[in-house]
Amino acid sequence: MNEHISLQQVTLRFETLTVLENIDLSLTKGEFVVLLGPSGCGKSTILNLLAGFTQPQQGRVLCGGEPVRQPHPSRGMIFQQPNLFPWLNVLENVTFGPRLRKHNRAEVDARAREWLARVGLAGFEDHAPWQLSGGMKQRVALARAWLPGPEVLLLDEPFGALDAQTRMMMQELLRAAWLETQTTLLFVTHDVEEALFLADRVLVMSARPGRIVEDIRLPFGRERDIETLASEPHYGDIKHHVLQRVRQEAKRHLAPLNEGER
Ligand SMILES: Nc1ncnc2c1ncn2[C@@H]1O[C@H](COP(=O)(O)OP(=O)(O)O)[C@@H](O)[C@H]1O
Ligand SMILES: [Mg+2]
C-alpha cells in the first residue's frame, strides 16, 4: 500500500523522560486513523512530530517519502481549543493563513465562504468569535484547517470540549468532509465510540513510553449512520475489546512511577 505519512523507529525524549520509544506508525493516502491511549502517553507528541513542530532524537518522520523538518500548510492541525483571533470576524479568521501567503483575496474569500457553508455557518461570516457557541467556533476552526486544501489533517481531541449533541454533529461533518476530500486524517481522542464512528483503523497506544499495542481495521464500510452503527455486527465486540485495552493501559499509567521517572 502507498504510504503517505509515517514514523519509523522514532524515539523522542524530553530531557530524561522517554515519551516515545522505537515507535512505528504509518497511514496510507486518504486513510482516516484514530489514535487512542492514556493521557500522557505521547499522542500529542506524535501529532507535533508529523506537523513538524518537534524533531525526534532517533528515527524518521516522513510525509510523501520526504523527511518532515518544519510545519507546512499541506499538513494542517486542529486542537481542542479553536484558537480564533478575537479581533477578527469569522471570514477573516478562516482566511488568515492563505491571506498571509498573498493569494488572490477574492478567490480565497469565495472558497472560505464555501467551506463555511459546508460546516453550516453560511450567514455568520461577519460574526465575531464571542458571538459564537463552542461548537460554532470549532466549525470555524474546521473550515480554516480545510481551506488551504491540506493533504494531511492532524486533529488533537478536537471535539473533547463539546457537549454530546454538538459532538455527534461535528463527527458527521468531519466524516462528510473527509469522504469528499480524501484527506489523510490522524485523529486523537479519548472516546471509543467516537473512534468507532470515525475511523478506518483504530490504533491503541500503551502508557509511556508510547508504543502502538493494537491496530484494528474496522469493518463498518464508508457509509456510516451514527444512529445505527451500534447495531452493526461486531460493533459490540470491537467496542468491548478496545475499551478493555484502553482501560488496561490507563491503569498501567496510574500505577506508581518508577524511581527515575518521577
Ligand atoms: N515540551 C515538553 N517538555 C517536556 N515534557 C513534555 C513536553 N511536551 C510533552 N511532554 C511530556 O511528554 C509526555 C507526553 O505528552 P503528550 O504527547 O502531550 O501526551 P498525550 O497527548 O498522550 O496526553 C507527558 O508526560 C508530557 O508531560
Ligand atoms: Mg494530548
Side-chain angles (χ1 to χ4, degrees):
M1 282 275 256
N2 201 3
E3 187 175 284
H4 190 189
I5 50 173
S6 63
L7 302 185
Q8 296 180 355
Q9 289 291 297
V10 162
T11 295
L12 186 135
R13 296 180 209 95
F14 293 112
E15 300 185 3
T16 58
L17 184 76
T18 303
V19 176
L20 303 172
E21 193 162 46
N22 295 331
I23 194 167
D24 284 305
L25 174 158
S26 82
L27 277 71
T28 59
K29 200 157 178 51
E31 200 176 20
F32 195 153
V33 173
V34 171
L35 190 56
L36 286 161
S39 103
C41 74
K43 302 180 296 296
S44 297
T45 303
I46 288 179
L47 297 191
N48 289 338
L49 282 164
L50 290 165
F53 300 149
T54 335
Q55 315 300 322
Q57 276 85 15
Q58 286 167 40
R60 305 207 297 167
V61 182
L62 300 175
C63 178
E66 298 291 320
V68 171
R69 297 190 208 280
Q70 57 193 16
H72 190 273
S74 66
R75 282 172 276 115
M77 186 108 159
I78 299 182
F79 304 90
Q80 184 164 352
Q81 296 305 325
N83 301 319
L84 305 182
F85 295 116
W87 61 89
L88 298 180
N89 70 23
V90 165
L91 186 71
E92 290 163 343
N93 264 289
V94 172
T95 57
F96 184 77
R99 282 244 177 92
L100 270 185
R101 294 195 300 278
K102 300 196 169 50
H103 286 243
N104 177 302
R105 178 170 181 163
E107 189 193 318
V108 169
D109 280 0
R111 279 199 296 127
R113 285 174 195 281
E114 273 171 40
W115 269 109
L116 284 168
R118 214 172 297 184
V119 300
L121 288 177
F124 289 90
E125 293 83 357
D126 299 330
H127 280 55
W130 57 266
Q131 293 176 301
L132 307 179
S133 68
M136 289 162 87
K137 283 184 207 160
Q138 202 55 304
R139 287 169 196 234
V140 176
L142 277 189
R144 177 181 57 190
W146 243 301
L147 179 66
E151 292 172 16
V152 176
L153 264 188
L154 306 162
L155 303 103
D156 201 353
E157 308 191 39
F159 308 146
L162 304 177
D163 66 84
Q165 297 312 316
T166 309
R167 192 173 183 143
M168 270 200 265
M169 279 164 53
M170 296 298 286
Q171 290 163 2
E172 287 178 313
L173 239 165
L174 179 67
R175 247 193 92 82
W178 169 70
L179 283 171
E180 238 178 86
T181 58
Q182 284 299 299
T183 312
T184 304
L185 300 192
L186 184 56
F187 183 109
V188 168
T189 183
H190 280 112
D191 182 337
V192 172
E193 287 182 10
E194 179 165 76
L196 297 190
F197 173 62
L198 290 175
D200 289 331
R201 192 151 64 89
V202 174
L203 305 177
V204 180
M205 279 180 80
S206 67
R208 207 181 51 231
R211 286 171 304 112
I212 308 294
V213 292
E214 292 272 338
D215 184 340
I216 303 164
R217 186 164 294 284
L218 299 180
F220 307 135
R222 288 174 69 82
E223 300 305 322
R224 296 182 192 180
D225 181 338
I226 206 162
E227 284 173 25
T228 58
L229 188 69
S231 54
E232 290 271 333
H234 310 301
Y235 181 91
D237 292 344
I238 295 172
K239 181 175 163 185
H240 180 72
H241 178 73
V242 174
L243 261 176
Q244 213 176 22
R245 209 64 182 85
V246 171
R247 278 173 52 82
Q248 231 170 23
E249 290 304 326
K251 278 187 202 152
R252 283 209 315 132
H253 173 69
L254 290 175
L257 292 176
N258 296 322
E259 274 312 319
E261 246 198 312
R262 281 173 218 270

